[in-house]
């Protein structure tokens, strides 16, 4: 059996303009001091991590790895969540997502998409140079404005949306395959890949590409009322990355899954720090151990109540406490004694008949 690695921490929510959170070395020293063993590093902050340089320079990648090793840290994955979002943007969301792109590309959807695809390809090259096995991203969304369709379901519209989504992503998946890295889509509302059904549809469109995989984050499943434990049973061969993020859903008579345009604090479904919500992480870690998941358990902190550094400190201990030291043999192996009678003897097949 294989063992989950951790704890890791996704840096994106902790980067600021103030030390120690404004440099990779500062963040590394801070995270190591909290007990983390790995960092998930976003690619949209050149002052933290220069993706363009990493894609072409083994020396730069070796220097980054060496610096982190000095703090006892590794890289779990690189993240292109924002860039992945820009691979596919419905015009309804152009204004909302334009700021994810460089200023020179804003207002030009075609160039923005081209830049996003090129950035993903650079992330594949950088991941290989860093010795990484997996990469975290979003799928983007063309069909999301119709996620709860009215007028009623429009089959041709969804067919075209997923065909186009696959057309954009297939060349990226091929590049990740060339570099030996799994591309892990975070299953997330707002993305066209937001549940098991939509992932399966996309997977079929990309011909069951071996690098098309899943970043498992149970918080987004719980808030959609999806059985996140059965999700592991169904999709564990494709789960190659894991965010430890908690959530809670408080049933009430005023609002529901869609949130009512309210801030997170007032919504029925909201994110919490690990251990403060409703997700059964003990069973999640058990399932992942059962299915030999040997990737990283990475804290993604987005709590609507708790202060961030407190959540990060508690999160390291929470993940460490939930990782199962897997057995190297079955508990009843003692029954298979070396001097046990032969199988044929035990079955009575060595007697005269």
């Amino acid at each position: 059996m294989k063992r989950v690695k951790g704890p890791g921490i996704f840096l994106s929510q902790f980067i600021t303009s103030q030390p120690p959170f404004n440099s990779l070395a500062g963040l590394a020293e801070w995270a190591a001091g909290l007990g983390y063993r790995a960092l998930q590093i976003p690619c949209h902050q050149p002052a933290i991590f220069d993706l363009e340089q990493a894609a072409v320079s083994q020396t730069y990648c070796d220097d980054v790895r060496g610096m982190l090793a000095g703090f006892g840290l590794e890289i779990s994955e690189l993240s292109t969540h924002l860039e992945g979002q820009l691979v596919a943007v419905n015009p309804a969301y152009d204004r909302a997502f334009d700021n994810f792109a460089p200023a020179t590309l804003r207002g030009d959807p075609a160039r923005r998409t081209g830049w996003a695809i090129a950035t993903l390809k650079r992330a594949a090259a950088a991941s290989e140079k860093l010795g990484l096995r997996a990469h975290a991203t979003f799928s983007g969304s063309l069909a999301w404005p119709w996620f709860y369709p009215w007028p009623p379901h429009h089959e041709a519209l969804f067919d075209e949306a997923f065909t186009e989504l696959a057309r954009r992503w297939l060349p990226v998946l091929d590049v990740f395959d060339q570099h030996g890295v799994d591309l892990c889509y975070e299953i997330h509302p707002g993305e066209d890949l937001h549940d098991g059904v939509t992932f399966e549809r996309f997977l079929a469109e990309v011909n069951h590409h071996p690098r098309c995989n899943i970043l498992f984050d149970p918080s987004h499943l719980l808030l959609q009322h999806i059985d996140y434990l059965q999700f592991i049973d169904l999709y564990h061969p494709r789960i190659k990355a894991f965010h430890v993020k908690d959530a809670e859903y408080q049933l009430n008579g005023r609002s529901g899954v869609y949130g009512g345009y309210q801030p997170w604090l007032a919504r029925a479904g909201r994110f919490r720090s690990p251990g403060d919500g409703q997700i059964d992480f003990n069973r999640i870690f058990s399932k992942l151990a059962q299915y030999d998941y040997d990737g990283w358990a990475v804290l993604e902190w987005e709590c609507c109540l708790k202060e961030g550094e407190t959540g990060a400190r508690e999160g390291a201990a929470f993940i460490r406490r939930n990782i199962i030291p897997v057995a190297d043999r079955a508990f009843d192996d003692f029954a298979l004694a070396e001097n046990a009678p032969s199988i044929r003897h035990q079955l009575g097949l060595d007697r005269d008949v």
Side-chain angles (χ1 to χ4, degrees), residues 198-212:
T198 51
F199 177 77
E200 289 176 20
R201 185 170 189 164
F202 179 72
L203 187 62
E205 289 284 349
V206 296
N207 304 315
H208 294 266
H209 200 290
R211 298 299 177 179
C212 180

Side-chain angles (χ1 to χ4, degrees), residues 187-188 192-200 221 224 226 231:
I187 305 302
H188 189 293
D192 280 343
L193 309 191
H194 58 271
D195 59 13
V197 170
T198 51
F199 177 77
E200 289 176 20
L221 304 180
Q224 295 180 79
I226 295 171
F231 186 95

Side-chain angles (χ1 to χ4, degrees), residues 165-337:
L165 193 70
R167 186 190 70 80
R168 298 185 190 189
W169 276 108
L170 258 171
V172 177
L173 286 161
D174 286 342
V175 171
F176 271 85
D177 194 34
Q178 292 163 18
H179 290 285
V181 179
D182 290 319
L183 187 54
C184 304
Y185 297 98
E186 182 169 354
I187 305 302
H188 189 293
E191 310 302 312
D192 280 343
L193 309 191
H194 58 271
D195 59 13
V197 170
T198 51
F199 177 77
E200 289 176 20
R201 185 170 189 164
F202 179 72
L203 187 62
E205 289 284 349
V206 296
N207 304 315
H208 294 266
H209 200 290
R211 298 299 177 179
C212 180
N213 289 293
I214 291 171
L215 189 166
F216 174 68
D217 183 331
S219 68
H220 304 302
L221 304 180
L222 181 137
L223 296 187
Q224 295 180 79
H225 292 217
I226 295 171
D227 185 333
Y228 52 84
L229 295 172
Q230 189 179 73
F231 186 95
I232 299 174
D233 292 329
L234 292 170
Y235 303 111
H236 63 87
R238 295 277 177 174
I239 294 174
K240 306 294 185 181
F242 171 31
H243 272 173
V244 179
K245 185 166 71 173
D246 211 341
E248 62 186 1
Y249 189 86
Q250 301 178 101
L251 188 67
N252 69 87
R254 297 186 65 245
S255 70
V257 173
Y258 310 126
Y261 305 118
Q262 298 177 102
W264 280 107
L265 191 62
R267 295 185 190 186
R270 56 192 192 172
F271 298 129
R272 300 298 309 276
S273 281
D276 293 346
Q278 297 169 343
I279 292 174
D280 188 342
F281 281 101
N282 180 268
R283 293 185 68 190
I284 286 174
F285 276 85
S286 295
K287 288 273 189 188
L288 293 175
Q290 172 186 338
Y291 291 120
D292 280 342
Y293 173 79
D294 62 350
W296 289 91
V298 176
L299 173 76
E300 184 183 23
W301 179 86
E302 289 182 346
C303 185
C304 64
L305 290 173
K306 187 167 284 181
E307 183 267 337
E309 287 197 58
T310 300
R313 184 177 62 254
E314 294 177 353
F318 181 87
I319 292 172
R320 194 178 304 108
R321 194 163 57 244
N322 275 279
I323 290 176
I324 296 172
V326 294
D328 59 0
R329 61 184 181 86
F331 70 90
D332 56 355
D333 280 353
F334 71 91
L336 300 175

